[in-house]
Amino acid sequence: MSSSSSAPPIYLDHAATTPVHPSAVGAMMPYLTSHFGNPSSSHAYGAEPRRAVAEARRDVLRHFIGREGTGDHGDLVVFTGGGTEADNLAIDAALRAHRASGTSAAPHVVSTSVEHPAVGSYLAALEGRGAITVTWCRAGPHGHAEPAEVAAAVRADTALVSVMYVQNETGTVSPLARIVAAVREAARTLGIAGPYVHTDAAQAFGKVPAGAVRRDLADVDAVTVVGHKLG
């Protein structure tokens, strides 16, 4: 657009971030005004925010994962400051669990060459420090890693497989359910319980049909969902 134009630019970058939906603004306003307490507080001002956080966790499970439940679900849904933090947290959790098993060698990770930097750059940094080893599966002619290649990369010391669900630049949808099934079969062949499977699904929700998302995520251990992509 010419800099001399008086018309505002047309926003077409909703894959990067999208405006907050008016209904979301309305739902949040009570907690930005009257119910402003810390949900971890034991006094009265913490009660309503604490109830709302627990309800929000149940809503995430119900609407995104298709799982009903009661209680707080603090062990299943963790709210973070953003997608990068969520990806890093999931990766670190898998690596900590692997080390807790008594293994002293650097854990092995399987990922792809088309990950978002929140995953790809973090794994590369850990690999550069010698904290992990990584097998990077290349994208095939359809823009995603093939299930057979990902499964073939799994080893007895593999702690984590992290494969992006919907690529943030190309929009390519990975055959996630097939990838996870292939990884599980490879683990059975190797006689191992793992590995932990994570997917960055930031670009999936609101774009891929909900039924397909729930089906594809059914056997994934950790899923990254990003609120500012949804509105």
Side-chain angles (χ1 to χ4, degrees), residues 82-95 109-112 115-116 118-120 122-123 150 159-166 174 176 179-180 183-184 195-202 216-217 219-226:
T84 297
E85 182 184 355
D87 282 335
N88 291 182
L89 183 65
I91 291 167
D92 287 343
L95 298 181
V109 175
V110 178
S111 194
T112 80
E115 296 298 304
H116 187 280
V119 170
Y122 188 51
L123 291 177
V150 176
L160 168 68
V161 174
S162 185
V163 177
M164 196 173 195
Y165 188 9
V166 179
S174 293
L176 194 60
I179 289 173
V180 176
V183 167
R184 301 300 188 206
Y196 190 85
V197 178
H198 163 255
T199 186
D200 181 336
D216 289 344
L217 297 180
D219 198 25
V220 175
D221 298 306
V223 180
T224 297
V225 183
V226 181

mmCIF file of all heavy atoms in Angstrom, residues 82-95 109-112 115-116 118-120 122-123 150 159-166 174 176 179-180 183-184 195-202 216-217 219-226:
data_model
loop_
_atom_site.group_PDB
_atom_site.id
_atom_site.type_symbol
_atom_site.label_atom_id
_atom_site.label_comp_id
_atom_site.label_asym_id
_atom_site.label_seq_id
_atom_site.Cartn_x
_atom_site.Cartn_y
_atom_site.Cartn_z
ATOM 1 N N GLY A 82 2.406 -17.656 26.968
ATOM 2 C CA GLY A 82 2.361 -17.641 25.511
ATOM 3 C C GLY A 82 2.793 -18.974 24.936
ATOM 4 O O GLY A 82 3.176 -19.901 25.660
ATOM 5 N N GLY A 83 2.750 -19.062 23.609
ATOM 6 C CA GLY A 83 3.039 -20.313 22.930
ATOM 7 C C GLY A 83 4.468 -20.799 23.091
ATOM 8 O O GLY A 83 4.712 -21.998 23.260
ATOM 9 N N THR A 84 5.425 -19.882 23.020
ATOM 10 C CA THR A 84 6.828 -20.285 23.146
ATOM 11 C C THR A 84 7.094 -20.880 24.520
ATOM 12 O O THR A 84 7.758 -21.925 24.652
ATOM 13 C CB THR A 84 7.752 -19.081 22.900
ATOM 14 O OG1 THR A 84 7.579 -18.624 21.550
ATOM 15 C CG2 THR A 84 9.215 -19.460 23.101
ATOM 16 N N GLU A 85 6.565 -20.226 25.552
ATOM 17 C CA GLU A 85 6.731 -20.760 26.902
ATOM 18 C C GLU A 85 6.079 -22.131 27.030
ATOM 19 O O GLU A 85 6.636 -23.046 27.652
ATOM 20 C CB GLU A 85 6.124 -19.797 27.925
ATOM 21 C CG GLU A 85 6.295 -20.254 29.366
ATOM 22 C CD GLU A 85 5.616 -19.337 30.368
ATOM 23 O OE1 GLU A 85 5.084 -18.276 29.964
ATOM 24 O OE2 GLU A 85 5.614 -19.685 31.565
ATOM 25 N N ALA A 86 4.901 -22.293 26.430
ATOM 26 C CA ALA A 86 4.209 -23.576 26.505
ATOM 27 C C ALA A 86 5.004 -24.675 25.807
ATOM 28 O O ALA A 86 5.133 -25.797 26.325
ATOM 29 C CB ALA A 86 2.815 -23.445 25.880
ATOM 30 N N ASP A 87 5.531 -24.388 24.621
ATOM 31 C CA ASP A 87 6.353 -25.368 23.909
ATOM 32 C C ASP A 87 7.582 -25.749 24.738
ATOM 33 O O ASP A 87 7.907 -26.934 24.880
ATOM 34 C CB ASP A 87 6.807 -24.812 22.562
ATOM 35 C CG ASP A 87 5.717 -24.866 21.500
ATOM 36 O OD1 ASP A 87 4.814 -25.704 21.607
ATOM 37 O OD2 ASP A 87 5.783 -24.056 20.551
ATOM 38 N N ASN A 88 8.274 -24.750 25.257
ATOM 39 C CA ASN A 88 9.483 -25.009 26.043
ATOM 40 C C ASN A 88 9.168 -25.816 27.294
ATOM 41 O O ASN A 88 9.933 -26.710 27.685
ATOM 42 C CB ASN A 88 10.158 -23.692 26.427
ATOM 43 C CG ASN A 88 10.772 -22.954 25.250
ATOM 44 O OD1 ASN A 88 11.374 -21.898 25.429
ATOM 45 N ND2 ASN A 88 10.611 -23.464 24.043
ATOM 46 N N LEU A 89 8.034 -25.512 27.934
ATOM 47 C CA LEU A 89 7.625 -26.236 29.136
ATOM 48 C C LEU A 89 7.365 -27.703 28.821
ATOM 49 O O LEU A 89 7.780 -28.597 29.580
ATOM 50 C CB LEU A 89 6.367 -25.587 29.722
ATOM 51 C CG LEU A 89 5.831 -26.183 31.029
ATOM 52 C CD1 LEU A 89 6.834 -25.981 32.159
ATOM 53 C CD2 LEU A 89 4.489 -25.545 31.385
ATOM 54 N N ALA A 90 6.689 -27.970 27.709
ATOM 55 C CA ALA A 90 6.406 -29.352 27.327
ATOM 56 C C ALA A 90 7.690 -30.119 27.029
ATOM 57 O O ALA A 90 7.847 -31.280 27.430
ATOM 58 C CB ALA A 90 5.485 -29.376 26.106
ATOM 59 N N ILE A 91 8.616 -29.466 26.334
ATOM 60 C CA ILE A 91 9.898 -30.107 26.025
ATOM 61 C C ILE A 91 10.667 -30.402 27.302
ATOM 62 O O ILE A 91 11.172 -31.514 27.510
ATOM 63 C CB ILE A 91 10.726 -29.207 25.078
ATOM 64 C CG1 ILE A 91 10.062 -29.157 23.697
ATOM 65 C CG2 ILE A 91 12.169 -29.707 24.976
ATOM 66 C CD1 ILE A 91 10.610 -28.072 22.790
ATOM 67 N N ASP A 92 10.754 -29.413 28.186
ATOM 68 C CA ASP A 92 11.492 -29.593 29.431
ATOM 69 C C ASP A 92 10.880 -30.695 30.295
ATOM 70 O O ASP A 92 11.600 -31.467 30.942
ATOM 71 C CB ASP A 92 11.539 -28.286 30.222
ATOM 72 C CG ASP A 92 12.479 -27.273 29.611
ATOM 73 O OD1 ASP A 92 13.327 -27.659 28.774
ATOM 74 O OD2 ASP A 92 12.390 -26.075 29.960
ATOM 75 N N ALA A 93 9.552 -30.772 30.312
ATOM 76 C CA ALA A 93 8.886 -31.802 31.113
ATOM 77 C C ALA A 93 9.260 -33.193 30.626
ATOM 78 O O ALA A 93 9.529 -34.096 31.433
ATOM 79 C CB ALA A 93 7.369 -31.609 31.056
ATOM 80 N N ALA A 94 9.283 -33.371 29.316
ATOM 81 C CA ALA A 94 9.648 -34.677 28.758
ATOM 82 C C ALA A 94 11.091 -35.028 29.085
ATOM 83 O O ALA A 94 11.403 -36.177 29.437
ATOM 84 C CB ALA A 94 9.426 -34.670 27.252
ATOM 85 N N LEU A 95 11.973 -34.055 28.987
ATOM 86 C CA LEU A 95 13.390 -34.321 29.253
ATOM 87 C C LEU A 95 13.634 -34.594 30.736
ATOM 88 O O LEU A 95 14.429 -35.470 31.089
ATOM 89 C CB LEU A 95 14.235 -33.131 28.781
ATOM 90 C CG LEU A 95 14.161 -32.822 27.276
ATOM 91 C CD1 LEU A 95 15.047 -31.643 26.930
ATOM 92 C CD2 LEU A 95 14.547 -34.051 26.442
ATOM 93 N N VAL A 109 15.981 -36.756 20.951
ATOM 94 C CA VAL A 109 14.714 -36.133 20.568
ATOM 95 C C VAL A 109 14.543 -36.270 19.061
ATOM 96 O O VAL A 109 15.507 -36.154 18.301
ATOM 97 C CB VAL A 109 14.696 -34.635 20.967
ATOM 98 C CG1 VAL A 109 13.421 -33.949 20.460
ATOM 99 C CG2 VAL A 109 14.824 -34.479 22.475
ATOM 100 N N VAL A 110 13.303 -36.498 18.638
ATOM 101 C CA VAL A 110 12.960 -36.526 17.215
ATOM 102 C C VAL A 110 12.052 -35.331 16.940
ATOM 103 O O VAL A 110 11.052 -35.122 17.634
ATOM 104 C CB VAL A 110 12.244 -37.825 16.817
ATOM 105 C CG1 VAL A 110 11.863 -37.796 15.331
ATOM 106 C CG2 VAL A 110 13.114 -39.038 17.131
ATOM 107 N N SER A 111 12.402 -34.540 15.930
ATOM 108 C CA SER A 111 11.556 -33.422 15.526
ATOM 109 C C SER A 111 11.680 -33.259 14.010
ATOM 110 O O SER A 111 12.211 -34.138 13.334
ATOM 111 C CB SER A 111 11.950 -32.138 16.267
ATOM 112 O OG SER A 111 10.952 -31.145 16.124
ATOM 113 N N THR A 112 11.168 -32.143 13.494
ATOM 114 C CA THR A 112 11.175 -31.961 12.044
ATOM 115 C C THR A 112 11.867 -30.666 11.655
ATOM 116 O O THR A 112 12.074 -29.771 12.490
ATOM 117 C CB THR A 112 9.744 -31.956 11.469
ATOM 118 O OG1 THR A 112 9.141 -30.673 11.677
ATOM 119 C CG2 THR A 112 8.884 -33.029 12.118
ATOM 120 N N GLU A 115 9.568 -27.045 12.003
ATOM 121 C CA GLU A 115 8.954 -26.614 13.253
ATOM 122 C C GLU A 115 8.985 -25.094 13.389
ATOM 123 O O GLU A 115 9.852 -24.419 12.826
ATOM 124 C CB GLU A 115 9.680 -27.235 14.449
ATOM 125 C CG GLU A 115 9.582 -28.736 14.524
ATOM 126 C CD GLU A 115 8.159 -29.225 14.672
ATOM 127 O OE1 GLU A 115 7.465 -28.810 15.623
ATOM 128 O OE2 GLU A 115 7.730 -30.038 13.823
ATOM 129 N N HIS A 116 8.060 -24.563 14.164
ATOM 130 C CA HIS A 116 8.120 -23.158 14.563
ATOM 131 C C HIS A 116 9.378 -22.968 15.409
ATOM 132 O O HIS A 116 9.808 -23.885 16.123
ATOM 133 C CB HIS A 116 6.870 -22.803 15.385
ATOM 134 C CG HIS A 116 6.750 -21.352 15.707
ATOM 135 N ND1 HIS A 116 7.456 -20.759 16.741
ATOM 136 C CD2 HIS A 116 6.002 -20.366 15.155
ATOM 137 C CE1 HIS A 116 7.144 -19.473 16.797
ATOM 138 N NE2 HIS A 116 6.274 -19.208 15.849
ATOM 139 N N ALA A 118 9.789 -21.692 18.150
ATOM 140 C CA ALA A 118 9.536 -21.967 19.568
ATOM 141 C C ALA A 118 9.953 -23.383 19.941
ATOM 142 O O ALA A 118 10.368 -23.639 21.074
ATOM 143 C CB ALA A 118 8.054 -21.762 19.891
ATOM 144 N N VAL A 119 9.862 -24.303 18.990
ATOM 145 C CA VAL A 119 10.336 -25.670 19.180
ATOM 146 C C VAL A 119 11.708 -25.858 18.539
ATOM 147 O O VAL A 119 12.653 -26.300 19.187
ATOM 148 C CB VAL A 119 9.334 -26.689 18.604
ATOM 149 C CG1 VAL A 119 9.938 -28.094 18.579
ATOM 150 C CG2 VAL A 119 8.056 -26.689 19.417
ATOM 151 N N GLY A 120 11.825 -25.528 17.256
ATOM 152 C CA GLY A 120 13.059 -25.805 16.518
ATOM 153 C C GLY A 120 14.279 -25.103 17.082
ATOM 154 O O GLY A 120 15.332 -25.726 17.273
ATOM 155 N N TYR A 122 14.645 -23.849 20.090
ATOM 156 C CA TYR A 122 14.923 -24.293 21.465
ATOM 157 C C TYR A 122 15.643 -25.640 21.463
ATOM 158 O O TYR A 122 16.632 -25.829 22.189
ATOM 159 C CB TYR A 122 13.622 -24.378 22.256
ATOM 160 C CG TYR A 122 13.823 -24.645 23.721
ATOM 161 C CD1 TYR A 122 14.701 -23.886 24.486
ATOM 162 C CD2 TYR A 122 13.130 -25.664 24.370
ATOM 163 C CE1 TYR A 122 14.898 -24.125 25.832
ATOM 164 C CE2 TYR A 122 13.305 -25.922 25.724
ATOM 165 C CZ TYR A 122 14.187 -25.149 26.449
ATOM 166 O OH TYR A 122 14.370 -25.388 27.787
ATOM 167 N N LEU A 123 15.174 -26.564 20.640
ATOM 168 C CA LEU A 123 15.856 -27.856 20.554
ATOM 169 C C LEU A 123 17.277 -27.692 20.032
ATOM 170 O O LEU A 123 18.211 -28.339 20.524
ATOM 171 C CB LEU A 123 15.069 -28.798 19.642
ATOM 172 C CG LEU A 123 13.716 -29.295 20.156
ATOM 173 C CD1 LEU A 123 13.045 -30.165 19.098
ATOM 174 C CD2 LEU A 123 13.873 -30.059 21.462
ATOM 175 N N VAL A 150 9.511 -40.436 10.661
ATOM 176 C CA VAL A 150 9.531 -40.080 12.084
ATOM 177 C C VAL A 150 9.690 -41.328 12.937
ATOM 178 O O VAL A 150 10.509 -41.374 13.862
ATOM 179 C CB VAL A 150 8.244 -39.319 12.471
ATOM 180 C CG1 VAL A 150 8.222 -39.031 13.974
ATOM 181 C CG2 VAL A 150 8.122 -38.019 11.678
ATOM 182 N N ALA A 159 13.541 -39.671 24.155
ATOM 183 C CA ALA A 159 12.709 -39.153 25.239
ATOM 184 C C ALA A 159 11.482 -38.429 24.717
ATOM 185 O O ALA A 159 10.446 -38.390 25.388
ATOM 186 C CB ALA A 159 13.535 -38.197 26.111
ATOM 187 N N LEU A 160 11.604 -37.836 23.526
ATOM 188 C CA LEU A 160 10.563 -36.936 23.048
ATOM 189 C C LEU A 160 10.471 -36.972 21.528
ATOM 190 O O LEU A 160 11.490 -37.010 20.838
ATOM 191 C CB LEU A 160 10.880 -35.496 23.498
ATOM 192 C CG LEU A 160 10.075 -34.341 22.885
ATOM 193 C CD1 LEU A 160 8.622 -34.387 23.356
ATOM 194 C CD2 LEU A 160 10.714 -33.005 23.239
ATOM 195 N N VAL A 161 9.234 -36.945 21.035
ATOM 196 C CA VAL A 161 8.959 -36.683 19.625
ATOM 197 C C VAL A 161 8.077 -35.440 19.585
ATOM 198 O O VAL A 161 7.012 -35.410 20.204
ATOM 199 C CB VAL A 161 8.239 -37.864 18.945
ATOM 200 C CG1 VAL A 161 7.832 -37.485 17.522
ATOM 201 C CG2 VAL A 161 9.132 -39.101 18.929
ATOM 202 N N SER A 162 8.539 -34.391 18.907
ATOM 203 C CA SER A 162 7.768 -33.153 18.806
ATOM 204 C C SER A 162 7.558 -32.821 17.334
ATOM 205 O O SER A 162 8.523 -32.533 16.618
ATOM 206 C CB SER A 162 8.481 -31.997 19.515
ATOM 207 O OG SER A 162 7.678 -30.828 19.517
ATOM 208 N N VAL A 163 6.300 -32.862 16.908
ATOM 209 C CA VAL A 163 5.948 -32.637 15.502
ATOM 210 C C VAL A 163 4.835 -31.600 15.440
ATOM 211 O O VAL A 163 3.787 -31.782 16.068
ATOM 212 C CB VAL A 163 5.499 -33.940 14.813
ATOM 213 C CG1 VAL A 163 5.065 -33.664 13.381
ATOM 214 C CG2 VAL A 163 6.619 -34.972 14.842
ATOM 215 N N MET A 164 5.048 -30.555 14.677
ATOM 216 C CA MET A 164 4.046 -29.502 14.544
ATOM 217 C C MET A 164 2.806 -30.023 13.823
ATOM 218 O O MET A 164 2.907 -30.766 12.844
ATOM 219 C CB MET A 164 4.659 -28.333 13.760
ATOM 220 C CG MET A 164 3.898 -27.041 13.869
ATOM 221 S SD MET A 164 4.855 -25.722 13.077
ATOM 222 C CE MET A 164 4.015 -24.291 13.736
ATOM 223 N N TYR A 165 1.635 -29.609 14.295
ATOM 224 C CA TYR A 165 0.382 -30.064 13.706
ATOM 225 C C TYR A 165 0.083 -29.310 12.406
ATOM 226 O O TYR A 165 -0.068 -29.928 11.345
ATOM 227 C CB TYR A 165 -0.732 -29.865 14.726
ATOM 228 C CG TYR A 165 -2.078 -30.458 14.359
ATOM 229 C CD1 TYR A 165 -2.257 -31.298 13.270
ATOM 230 C CD2 TYR A 165 -3.182 -30.189 15.151
ATOM 231 C CE1 TYR A 165 -3.492 -31.831 12.956
ATOM 232 C CE2 TYR A 165 -4.433 -30.721 14.858
ATOM 233 C CZ TYR A 165 -4.583 -31.538 13.766
ATOM 234 O OH TYR A 165 -5.815 -32.058 13.472
ATOM 235 N N VAL A 166 0.008 -27.984 12.466
ATOM 236 C CA VAL A 166 -0.234 -27.162 11.279
ATOM 237 C C VAL A 166 0.911 -26.162 11.153
ATOM 238 O O VAL A 166 1.155 -25.380 12.076
ATOM 239 C CB VAL A 166 -1.575 -26.412 11.364
ATOM 240 C CG1 VAL A 166 -1.788 -25.538 10.126
ATOM 241 C CG2 VAL A 166 -2.734 -27.396 11.519
ATOM 242 N N SER A 174 -0.022 -31.703 9.169
ATOM 243 C CA SER A 174 0.672 -32.982 9.306
ATOM 244 C C SER A 174 -0.329 -34.093 9.603
ATOM 245 O O SER A 174 -1.320 -33.868 10.312
ATOM 246 C CB SER A 174 1.697 -32.920 10.440
ATOM 247 O OG SER A 174 2.755 -32.050 10.133
ATOM 248 N N LEU A 176 -1.024 -36.129 11.814
ATOM 249 C CA LEU A 176 -0.553 -36.314 13.183
ATOM 250 C C LEU A 176 -0.956 -37.660 13.771
ATOM 251 O O LEU A 176 -0.142 -38.333 14.419
ATOM 252 C CB LEU A 176 -1.064 -35.171 14.062
ATOM 253 C CG LEU A 176 -0.403 -35.025 15.425
ATOM 254 C CD1 LEU A 176 1.095 -34.776 15.291
ATOM 255 C CD2 LEU A 176 -1.056 -33.891 16.203
ATOM 256 N N ILE A 179 1.264 -40.265 12.419
ATOM 257 C CA ILE A 179 2.617 -40.130 12.965
ATOM 258 C C ILE A 179 2.682 -40.712 14.369
ATOM 259 O O ILE A 179 3.596 -41.480 14.702
ATOM 260 C CB ILE A 179 3.057 -38.650 12.962
ATOM 261 C CG1 ILE A 179 3.305 -38.174 11.521
ATOM 262 C CG2 ILE A 179 4.310 -38.450 13.820
ATOM 263 C CD1 ILE A 179 3.584 -36.684 11.408
ATOM 264 N N VAL A 180 1.704 -40.359 15.208
ATOM 265 C CA VAL A 180 1.696 -40.862 16.580
ATOM 266 C C VAL A 180 1.554 -42.379 16.589
ATOM 267 O O VAL A 180 2.250 -43.078 17.349
ATOM 268 C CB VAL A 180 0.574 -40.200 17.400
ATOM 269 C CG1 VAL A 180 0.506 -40.793 18.801
ATOM 270 C CG2 VAL A 180 0.783 -38.689 17.481
ATOM 271 N N VAL A 183 4.843 -43.899 15.709
ATOM 272 C CA VAL A 183 5.796 -43.759 16.820
ATOM 273 C C VAL A 183 5.495 -44.790 17.906
ATOM 274 O O VAL A 183 6.411 -45.425 18.454
ATOM 275 C CB VAL A 183 5.741 -42.331 17.389
ATOM 276 C CG1 VAL A 183 6.466 -42.246 18.736
ATOM 277 C CG2 VAL A 183 6.342 -41.340 16.405
ATOM 278 N N ARG A 184 4.216 -44.971 18.235
ATOM 279 C CA ARG A 184 3.846 -45.958 19.260
ATOM 280 C C ARG A 184 4.236 -47.369 18.825
ATOM 281 O O ARG A 184 4.717 -48.173 19.634
ATOM 282 C CB ARG A 184 2.344 -45.898 19.532
ATOM 283 C CG ARG A 184 1.803 -44.560 19.999
ATOM 284 C CD ARG A 184 2.415 -44.079 21.283
ATOM 285 N NE ARG A 184 1.728 -42.887 21.773
ATOM 286 C CZ ARG A 184 2.276 -41.962 22.547
ATOM 287 N NH1 ARG A 184 3.534 -42.106 22.947
ATOM 288 N NH2 ARG A 184 1.585 -40.910 22.958
ATOM 289 N N PRO A 195 8.289 -42.929 23.398
ATOM 290 C CA PRO A 195 8.626 -41.624 23.949
ATOM 291 C C PRO A 195 7.391 -40.742 24.173
ATOM 292 O O PRO A 195 6.289 -41.071 23.731
ATOM 293 C CB PRO A 195 9.514 -41.007 22.863
ATOM 294 C CG PRO A 195 8.941 -41.601 21.596
ATOM 295 C CD PRO A 195 8.511 -42.997 21.952
ATOM 296 N N TYR A 196 7.624 -39.651 24.872
ATOM 297 C CA TYR A 196 6.618 -38.616 25.087
ATOM 298 C C TYR A 196 6.389 -37.902 23.756
ATOM 299 O O TYR A 196 7.337 -37.578 23.054
ATOM 300 C CB TYR A 196 7.210 -37.654 26.116
ATOM 301 C CG TYR A 196 6.337 -36.611 26.728
ATOM 302 C CD1 TYR A 196 5.549 -36.895 27.842
ATOM 303 C CD2 TYR A 196 6.355 -35.296 26.254
ATOM 304 C CE1 TYR A 196 4.797 -35.897 28.456
ATOM 305 C CE2 TYR A 196 5.605 -34.301 26.861
ATOM 306 C CZ TYR A 196 4.829 -34.614 27.960
ATOM 307 O OH TYR A 196 4.096 -33.639 28.559
ATOM 308 N N VAL A 197 5.115 -37.689 23.394
ATOM 309 C CA VAL A 197 4.795 -37.053 22.115
ATOM 310 C C VAL A 197 4.147 -35.699 22.363
ATOM 311 O O VAL A 197 3.149 -35.594 23.083
ATOM 312 C CB VAL A 197 3.859 -37.936 21.266
ATOM 313 C CG1 VAL A 197 3.506 -37.223 19.960
ATOM 314 C CG2 VAL A 197 4.513 -39.283 20.976
ATOM 315 N N HIS A 198 4.721 -34.673 21.747
ATOM 316 C CA HIS A 198 4.226 -33.292 21.879
ATOM 317 C C HIS A 198 3.933 -32.738 20.494
ATOM 318 O O HIS A 198 4.623 -33.061 19.523
ATOM 319 C CB HIS A 198 5.275 -32.412 22.569
ATOM 320 C CG HIS A 198 5.043 -30.942 22.384
ATOM 321 N ND1 HIS A 198 5.814 -30.175 21.512
ATOM 322 C CD2 HIS A 198 4.134 -30.101 22.928
ATOM 323 C CE1 HIS A 198 5.388 -28.925 21.551
ATOM 324 N NE2 HIS A 198 4.370 -28.851 22.393
ATOM 325 N N THR A 199 2.916 -31.901 20.411
ATOM 326 C CA THR A 199 2.660 -31.174 19.166
ATOM 327 C C THR A 199 2.349 -29.715 19.463
ATOM 328 O O THR A 199 1.639 -29.394 20.411
ATOM 329 C CB THR A 199 1.501 -31.798 18.358
ATOM 330 O OG1 THR A 199 1.400 -31.122 17.105
ATOM 331 C CG2 THR A 199 0.172 -31.695 19.082
ATOM 332 N N ASP A 200 2.917 -28.843 18.644
ATOM 333 C CA ASP A 200 2.553 -27.434 18.658
ATOM 334 C C ASP A 200 1.351 -27.300 17.730
ATOM 335 O O ASP A 200 1.473 -27.369 16.513
ATOM 336 C CB ASP A 200 3.722 -26.589 18.160
ATOM 337 C CG ASP A 200 3.426 -25.096 18.181
ATOM 338 O OD1 ASP A 200 2.240 -24.720 18.138
ATOM 339 O OD2 ASP A 200 4.377 -24.298 18.223
ATOM 340 N N ALA A 201 0.170 -27.127 18.337
ATOM 341 C CA ALA A 201 -1.074 -27.060 17.572
ATOM 342 C C ALA A 201 -1.633 -25.640 17.527
ATOM 343 O O ALA A 201 -2.839 -25.450 17.348
ATOM 344 C CB ALA A 201 -2.109 -28.019 18.168
ATOM 345 N N ALA A 202 -0.755 -24.650 17.675
ATOM 346 C CA ALA A 202 -1.199 -23.258 17.747
ATOM 347 C C ALA A 202 -2.029 -22.837 16.544
ATOM 348 O O ALA A 202 -2.980 -22.059 16.668
ATOM 349 C CB ALA A 202 0.014 -22.337 17.895
ATOM 350 N N ASP A 216 -7.153 -36.292 15.849
ATOM 351 C CA ASP A 216 -5.704 -36.290 15.647
ATOM 352 C C ASP A 216 -4.934 -36.144 16.954
ATOM 353 O O ASP A 216 -3.785 -36.588 17.054
ATOM 354 C CB ASP A 216 -5.312 -35.167 14.685
ATOM 355 C CG ASP A 216 -5.739 -35.445 13.251
ATOM 356 O OD1 ASP A 216 -6.060 -36.611 12.944
ATOM 357 O OD2 ASP A 216 -5.748 -34.500 12.440
ATOM 358 N N LEU A 217 -5.544 -35.512 17.952
ATOM 359 C CA LEU A 217 -4.854 -35.279 19.221
ATOM 360 C C LEU A 217 -5.127 -36.358 20.261
ATOM 361 O O LEU A 217 -4.612 -36.289 21.377
ATOM 362 C CB LEU A 217 -5.264 -33.919 19.799
ATOM 363 C CG LEU A 217 -4.912 -32.688 18.970
ATOM 364 C CD1 LEU A 217 -5.394 -31.426 19.680
ATOM 365 C CD2 LEU A 217 -3.413 -32.604 18.714
ATOM 366 N N ASP A 219 -4.161 -39.313 20.962
ATOM 367 C CA ASP A 219 -3.080 -40.095 21.580
ATOM 368 C C ASP A 219 -1.808 -39.274 21.773
ATOM 369 O O ASP A 219 -0.727 -39.821 21.950
ATOM 370 C CB ASP A 219 -2.779 -41.335 20.727
ATOM 371 C CG ASP A 219 -2.014 -42.400 21.503
ATOM 372 O OD1 ASP A 219 -2.119 -42.416 22.750
ATOM 373 O OD2 ASP A 219 -1.286 -43.198 20.877
ATOM 374 N N VAL A 220 -1.948 -37.950 21.742
ATOM 375 C CA VAL A 220 -0.798 -37.068 21.969
ATOM 376 C C VAL A 220 -0.671 -36.781 23.467
ATOM 377 O O VAL A 220 -1.673 -36.609 24.157
ATOM 378 C CB VAL A 220 -0.965 -35.749 21.183
ATOM 379 C CG1 VAL A 220 0.153 -34.771 21.514
ATOM 380 C CG2 VAL A 220 -0.990 -36.038 19.689
ATOM 381 N N ASP A 221 0.559 -36.739 23.973
ATOM 382 C CA ASP A 221 0.772 -36.529 25.406
ATOM 383 C C ASP A 221 0.673 -35.067 25.825
ATOM 384 O O ASP A 221 0.202 -34.763 26.921
ATOM 385 C CB ASP A 221 2.147 -37.077 25.811
ATOM 386 C CG ASP A 221 2.254 -38.566 25.584
ATOM 387 O OD1 ASP A 221 1.390 -39.313 26.093
ATOM 388 O OD2 ASP A 221 3.194 -38.991 24.884
ATOM 389 N N ALA A 222 1.141 -34.155 24.981
ATOM 390 C CA ALA A 222 1.135 -32.728 25.324
ATOM 391 C C ALA A 222 0.814 -31.913 24.079
ATOM 392 O O ALA A 222 1.366 -32.151 23.000
ATOM 393 C CB ALA A 222 2.478 -32.305 25.902
ATOM 394 N N VAL A 223 -0.087 -30.955 24.240
ATOM 395 C CA VAL A 223 -0.554 -30.117 23.123
ATOM 396 C C VAL A 223 -0.383 -28.649 23.497
ATOM 397 O O VAL A 223 -0.780 -28.234 24.589
ATOM 398 C CB VAL A 223 -2.044 -30.385 22.819
ATOM 399 C CG1 VAL A 223 -2.509 -29.509 21.654
ATOM 400 C CG2 VAL A 223 -2.278 -31.860 22.525
ATOM 401 N N THR A 224 0.196 -27.866 22.595
ATOM 402 C CA THR A 224 0.294 -26.431 22.787
ATOM 403 C C THR A 224 -0.853 -25.738 22.070
ATOM 404 O O THR A 224 -1.025 -25.901 20.870
ATOM 405 C CB THR A 224 1.638 -25.885 22.256
ATOM 406 O OG1 THR A 224 2.709 -26.474 23.012
ATOM 407 C CG2 THR A 224 1.700 -24.373 22.387
ATOM 408 N N VAL A 225 -1.648 -24.984 22.828
ATOM 409 C CA VAL A 225 -2.748 -24.171 22.304
ATOM 410 C C VAL A 225 -2.426 -22.723 22.626
ATOM 411 O O VAL A 225 -1.958 -22.413 23.727
ATOM 412 C CB VAL A 225 -4.091 -24.554 22.957
ATOM 413 C CG1 VAL A 225 -5.245 -23.753 22.344
ATOM 414 C CG2 VAL A 225 -4.346 -26.044 22.831
ATOM 415 N N VAL A 226 -2.674 -21.819 21.690
ATOM 416 C CA VAL A 226 -2.302 -20.407 21.871
ATOM 417 C C VAL A 226 -3.546 -19.524 21.738
ATOM 418 O O VAL A 226 -4.152 -19.461 20.665
ATOM 419 C CB VAL A 226 -1.218 -19.989 20.864
ATOM 420 C CG1 VAL A 226 -0.836 -18.525 21.086
ATOM 421 C CG2 VAL A 226 0.011 -20.881 21.003
#
